[in-house]
Amino acid sequence: MGYLVGCQGSGASPAAHQEQPTAVTLVSPSATPTATTRPAVAIAEPATITPIPTTSGSAGRPTARVVAATATDEELPTPALTAITTTPTSQSVGSTPPPPPVSSGPLEQPPYQASPCSDKYPCNDDVEGWEARIRVAAGFQAHYYARVPGSPTSLAFGPDGLLYAAVQEGTIYTIDNQGTVAAYVGGFNTPTGIAFQPGTSKLYVSSRLRNENVNGEAQVSVVQGGGVSQLFGGIPCCYTYLHAANGLAFGPDGYGYVSVGARADHGEILDGSGLQDVLHPWEATILRFSPDGDLVEPYAYGLRNSYDLAWDSQGQLYATDNAPDFGPPDELHRVAPGGQHGYPWYECDSCFSPPPEVAIVPPIYQFIPHSAAAGITVYLDDDFPGYYNSLFVALWSAFPGAQKIVRFGPGGVGASDFALGFAAPIDAAVGPDGALYVADWATGIIFRIVYVG
């Protein structure tokens, strides 16, 4: 993917394969990986993993056990917050655009169409143009909800009912039900995952500390009461300035979970020797952590660059994963506690074979190569009839067959196109109103998809 997400390594930026809207500024690093051998990293052995309970509350939905959190680690600077208001162009001129069309047949990717801003897409503030472009499943409509400054990376709804959106440039914004955008907190280095601890106002954020190809570092922080404090650092980062600490989610056990990318493409030492590196204990994993940061341990292994993760109502964790640069399919995984999900063992001339004692947990679905599977969310509401426990996955890249939202049935069974026509969809979240919200990284637009029957 591009500068931030990097799910496909250095070769999968839409800018490299599909021209983006001229209204959008894409940033691509000019640096190349440094040929050097990484020193060993001393980290204590992880504690024994406790299986995730599957106790459910009413309507089969999980009852989260909330654990008190106190973030007392090193204080990070909190910049002054600047209020920003953003309203769609059609609203600012006092007109009400007609409702978007309701799809009645098979979905097809809309063709590119030139505008004053781009040879392929509507202008970023063209409400009617984007609503006419997006295609959604029969019975649904997509609305242009808001637009944030910058390139969104992650969405989460807060206990206050506001939609929170992190952008690559370092700020987290709030969006109210009128689509008004305001800055909440800034100063992060590439925030990629945000999640509220259930039952609290504490916002957990994954971001980078040292954005270096070799020996970079990422962290998880907590935002509360206008202050930001580091929960824990030492997370390996950032292969080709891309792989880092990514998606965040809280599980039904009350613990936090964060996906962490690998330090190489397929496990090689970055010195040109072709030899296999010794894995950092936290790379290519999903880490489990206590809300107070006292416990941090790998929960699952072998996910090369899992961009996001989400829990269903049965206490099952799902994760997207992005394959090596040589082009195998991207993946959707049903995460197995303690399981080895494939990295660094692939089939290619320079790849490595797994030891005979390693049993690899296969993916439950394979996307097209270089599709850059990114955000994932589980639908735990009743407004979409028959959709309860369905999974929605964003395919970020501009390769043919991506730029869309894919829906899976409960358990990750069956895949179907749900929404198409985006420039670079990066994440999705279910709102308290039962609608599905989709963030487009390339344009900054947040779309709201509703069921209309």
Side-chain angles (χ1 to χ4, degrees):
M1 295 175 70
Y3 169 79
L4 163 67
V5 251
C7 289
Q8 293 296 344
S10 60
S13 167
H17 305 282
Q18 190 75 59
E19 185 178 347
Q20 291 294 316
T22 54
V24 178
T25 301
L26 298 181
V27 182
S28 297
S30 58
T32 55
T34 305
T36 182
T37 302
R38 293 187 291 271
V41 179
I43 291 185
E45 288 298 316
T48 303
I49 294 173
T50 304
I52 296 299
T54 56
T55 304
S56 298
S58 61
R61 308 188 185 195
T63 303
R65 178 172 61 86
V66 179
V67 180
T70 54
T72 58
D73 292 340
E74 176 186 358
E75 290 295 321
L76 301 179
T78 303
L81 304 187
T82 303
I84 297 175
T85 57
T86 302
T87 52
T89 301
S90 62
Q91 295 180 12
S92 63
V93 298
S95 62
T96 302
V102 178
S103 174
S104 58
L107 292 183
E108 295 183 1
Q109 187 77 13
Y112 294 122
Q113 188 171 1
S115 75
C117 308
S118 167
D119 64 345
K120 292 181 174 66
Y121 301 100
C123 294
N124 292 346
D125 59 357
D126 183 354
V127 176
E128 294 187 29
W130 276 104
E131 289 188 344
R133 176 175 173 78
I134 300 299
R135 306 286 193 266
V136 291
F140 293 86
Q141 284 184 344
H143 297 269
Y144 187 119
Y145 183 65
R147 180 167 174 256
V148 295
S151 301
T153 60
S154 183
L155 298 177
F157 276 91
D160 51 9
L162 298 177
L163 176 60
Y164 289 71
V167 300
Q168 172 182 324
E169 292 76 4
T171 300
I172 298 173
Y173 294 93
T174 61
I175 308 170
D176 67 15
N177 59 11
Q178 299 300 311
T180 303
V181 177
Y184 175 63
V185 66
F188 292 101
N189 182 344
T190 323
T192 310
I194 57 175
F196 280 90
Q197 181 189 4
T200 78
S201 61
K202 297 176 182 179
L203 178 63
Y204 288 68
V205 182
S206 63
S207 64
R208 304 179 190 183
L209 278 173
R210 295 196 311 274
N211 190 20
E212 300 174 4
N213 177 47
V214 177
N215 294 327
E217 182 183 359
Q219 65 178 347
V220 172
S221 303
V222 181
V223 182
Q224 185 181 28
V228 182
S229 58
Q230 185 192 69
L231 188 70
F232 64 95
I235 302 174
C237 187
C238 315
Y239 169 63
T240 62
Y241 307 93
L242 301 171
H243 299 186
N246 293 322
L248 275 168
F250 277 85
D253 59 354
Y255 282 79
Y257 293 76
V258 59
S259 54
V260 179
R263 297 183 300 164
D265 179 64
H266 54 274
E268 73 278 20
I269 300 175
L270 299 183
D271 62 358
S273 67
L275 299 176
Q276 185 174 355
D277 200 358
V278 176
L279 292 182
H280 183 295
W282 288 1
E283 72 171 299
T285 69
I286 293 173
L287 293 179
R288 179 178 110 154
F289 60 89
S290 58
D292 59 9
D294 285 348
L295 170 69
V296 182
E297 61 183 1
Y299 175 77
Y301 303 85
L303 294 148
R304 176 183 175 271
N305 192 39
S306 173
Y307 187 80
D308 201 12
L309 58 167
W311 295 88
D312 71 7
S313 69
Q314 304 303 308
Q316 175 62 56
L317 182 61
Y318 295 87
T320 55
D321 195 24
N322 287 265
D325 295 339
F326 63 85
D330 288 349
E331 299 170 341
L332 174 64
H333 283 268
R334 186 181 293 121
V335 178
Q340 296 279 357
H341 291 76
Y343 184 90
W345 304 296
Y346 300 100
E347 293 184 5
C348 76
D349 291 342
S350 60
C351 293
F352 312 104
S353 299
E357 70 274 10
V358 172
I360 295 177
V361 179
I364 60 172
Y365 189 83
Q366 292 182 324
F367 301 100
I368 62 170
H370 299 304
S371 58
I376 181 173
T377 192
V378 177
Y379 192 80
L380 299 178
D381 205 286
D382 301 320
D383 277 40
F384 291 6
Y387 275 65
Y388 186 76
N389 242 8
S390 291
L391 283 64
F392 292 100
V393 174
L395 301 185
W396 179 89
S397 84
F399 276 81
Q403 295 180 293
K404 64 186 179 183
I405 301 295
V406 179
R407 179 235 175 166
F408 293 85
V413 176
S416 60
D417 291 344
F418 181 76
L420 298 85
F422 306 95
I426 188 72
D427 198 18
V430 180
D433 58 353
L436 184 72
Y437 293 76
V438 177
D440 191 288
W441 177 88
T443 63
I445 301 171
I446 310 296
F447 294 92
R448 178 175 179 262
I449 300 176
V450 297
Y451 179 74
V452 294

